[in-house]
Amino acid sequence: MTEQHHLTLTVNGRAHSCDVEPRMTLADCLRERLDLTGTHLGCEHGVCGACTIIVDGAAVRSCLMFAVQAEGAEITTVEGLADGETLSVLQQAFHDNFALQCGFCTPGFLTTAETILAENPSPTRAEVQSAISGNICRCTGYVPIIDAILEAAERRRAGKK
Ligand code: FES
Ligand code: FES
């Protein structure tokens, strides 16, 4: 039997523990062990950004990180953005700007955008364009996504959570 490591981590504010093989990626751990399937897998080699999550405040491609590397980490996935049934300001802005079609890329864009806005509450359009350049969407074109992130920044500055 393959060696298992006991892993403890916090996801969306909740402590979790599970046993994982050393080679299991964090993306697979989230999806298969913790049942958090909102984190999507596209390319599985760090190109598309669909699997992006927030690890200790940084946007991380969970397909490129082993689960064991997340020992003790604080993780936010797309499931942790809304407050119950209430969408976050960013999610609402995506909705209002039609910033998704199939939605496959959306969890990665939302988590990336959360880290952009945490670091820079007043980004320029060019800064947003640059910051999402590692996320690929094949449906929307990028204009509505950029509009949504800029609108979310504006709404947050106006005091919305
Ligand atoms: S699935 Fe991780 S970057 Fe594409
Ligand atoms: S909305 Fe379909 S890939 Fe982005």
Side-chain angles (χ1 to χ4, degrees), residues 75-149:
I75 291 173
T76 303
T77 66
V78 69
E79 290 93 343
L81 300 184
D83 181 9
E85 297 293 308
T86 306
L87 296 179
S88 70
V89 170
L90 182 63
Q91 288 171 313
Q92 189 63 51
F94 266 61
H95 179 268
D96 296 345
N97 284 275
F98 305 101
L100 61 145
Q101 287 185 30
C102 78
F104 190 85
C105 68
T106 310
F109 273 98
L110 288 169
T111 47
T112 301
E114 281 293 344
T115 62
I116 297 168
L117 297 181
E119 283 170 22
N120 180 2
S122 304
T124 63
R125 177 167 283 270
E127 285 170 338
V128 171
Q129 282 172 331
S130 169
I132 63 164
S133 61
N135 289 70
I136 294 172
C137 173
R138 63 184 180 182
C139 301
T140 63
Y142 294 85
V143 172
I145 294 172
I146 295 162
D147 288 344
I149 296 169

Side-chain angles (χ1 to χ4, degrees), residues 40-52 61-64:
H40 291 165
L41 280 168
C43 65
E44 298 193 58
H45 60 252
V47 174
C48 73
C51 67
T52 305
R61 298 189 171 213
S62 58
C63 73
L64 293 184

Side-chain angles (χ1 to χ4, degrees), residues 7-10 26 55 65-75:
L7 175 67
T8 56
L9 70 177
T10 303
L26 183 52
V55 179
M65 187 167 166
F66 289 117
V68 292
Q69 293 176 288
E71 175 65 41
E74 295 265 352
I75 291 173

